[in-house]
Amino acid sequence: MDSSRQAEAVVSPRASFLSGLRTGSGLAAASFLLAVSFGAISTSHGWGHLAPVICSMAVFSGSAQFVLLAALGSGGGPAGAVLSAALINSRFIPMGIAVAGDLHGGRFRRALEGQAVVDGSWAAAHLGGGRFDRYLLFGATAIQWPAWVAGTALGVVVSPDPDLLHRLGLDVLTPALFLALLFDEVRRERINRLPALLGAVIAAGLIVFLPAGPALVGAALAALVALFRTPARHRQADETDETTAADTTEAAEPADMPERALRSARSDEEVTP
């Protein structure tokens, strides 16, 4: 049996949710600091006090919100800014497809559960073999969303210098946490090593010509390598499970033979007058 299935069978939903809260706490701390910066910058750009908080509550995506802020701040129109933010958030399409098989209920409930799919939670909830721990996903997101909204509100009210986090070196916390999740994922499954390396190469090449956001979206194409390799690995795993089950059945048969012979002899005695 696959290790991800064993883990899913043993760990209770409550334990998975609590594990998600613990995992998401580090991401929440980094999100809080980044959200303070977003609140401060958006206020300095004339967004007012309410719009940044509503944006964080509805969008809940640091990369998309900063792209939206940069596009509007550089004189771009609302349509272009929204299109840029949507392009950055297009990464959630393959992420949602990947986790869809582990969501429960009808369309409305699955759509509601899908709101928990954010970068850090999605990576932390991956069990391997294309399976996800939905309760860990919920827990990791449940602690990040209020931290993101609260950080934005604090940045709006306090309005610190937008460059303060950069001067203190705190802006590297989020990339460092994602890098730690990536190392854990690559160490756990060998199939992820090639896509991770290819994604890094693509991002390094595109960053020379494109901003960081589009470069990362282009690097996501490396995930197609794992997508095409996964079915073959699953077939091999299924064949291994079938072989193990067959061996177990054959090993049990000799022990059952004396009992079968005894039942057959009793049946013959009952039939014979």
Side-chain angles (χ1 to χ4, degrees):
M1 181 179 291
D2 189 80
S3 59
S4 64
R5 297 177 184 175
Q6 290 178 343
E8 187 178 16
V10 172
V11 180
S12 66
R14 182 177 181 275
S16 292
F17 185 82
L18 294 177
S19 176
L21 291 177
R22 290 191 296 269
T23 302
S25 60
L27 296 169
S31 297
F32 179 83
L33 295 174
L34 190 62
V36 171
S37 177
F38 171 76
I41 296 174
S42 58
T43 302
S44 65
H45 284 194
W47 280 36
H49 291 80
L50 190 59
V53 178
I54 294 178
C55 182
S56 288
M57 292 175 65
V59 180
F60 186 34
S61 173
S63 56
Q65 290 178 227
F66 276 104
V67 166
L68 184 67
L69 191 62
L72 293 175
S74 61
V82 171
L83 181 61
S84 299
L87 177 61
I88 293 297
N89 274 357
S90 63
R91 69 188 185 278
F92 290 118
I93 296 176
M95 291 168 63
I97 294 174
V99 78
D102 293 291
L103 302 180
H104 295 173
R107 292 183 178 180
F108 178 77
R109 179 180 173 182
R110 291 163 67 85
L112 187 62
E113 291 186 355
Q115 301 307 306
V117 177
V118 295
D119 298 312
S121 303
W122 183 86
H126 187 218
L127 295 171
R131 300 296 307 277
F132 291 83
D133 186 334
R134 57 196 293 268
Y135 291 102
L136 193 150
L137 177 75
F138 299 156
T141 301
I143 194 172
Q144 290 182 74
W145 184 81
W148 179 255
V149 176
T152 303
L154 181 62
V156 168
V157 173
V158 178
S159 297
D161 185 354
D163 294 331
L164 179 61
L165 293 180
H166 178 70
R167 290 202 302 268
L168 295 177
L170 298 177
D171 54 341
V172 303
L173 286 177
T174 300
L177 286 171
F178 279 112
L179 190 61
L181 290 173
L182 176 62
F183 283 153
D184 181 67
E185 186 72 16
V186 170
R187 184 175 62 251
R188 183 166 47 188
E189 283 198 292
R190 182 177 298 178
I191 192 174
N192 296 322
R193 296 176 183 174
L194 179 59
L197 178 61
L198 184 59
V201 171
I202 294 175
L206 292 179
I207 201 66
V208 179
F209 309 100
L210 299 174
L216 291 177
V217 172
L221 295 175
L224 296 175
V225 175
L227 180 64
F228 290 128
R229 294 178 63 189
T230 297
R233 191 174 72 88
H234 281 178
R235 286 195 299 270
Q236 183 178 1
D238 292 340
E239 292 174 358
T240 302
D241 291 343
E242 292 176 0
T243 303
T244 303
D247 293 341
T248 303
T249 303
E250 291 177 359
E253 285 181 353
D256 296 340
M257 288 179 63
E259 185 177 352
R260 293 177 184 175
L262 181 59
R263 287 200 301 266
S264 178
R266 290 178 178 175
S267 299
D268 293 340
E269 292 176 357
E270 291 176 358
V271 174
T272 303

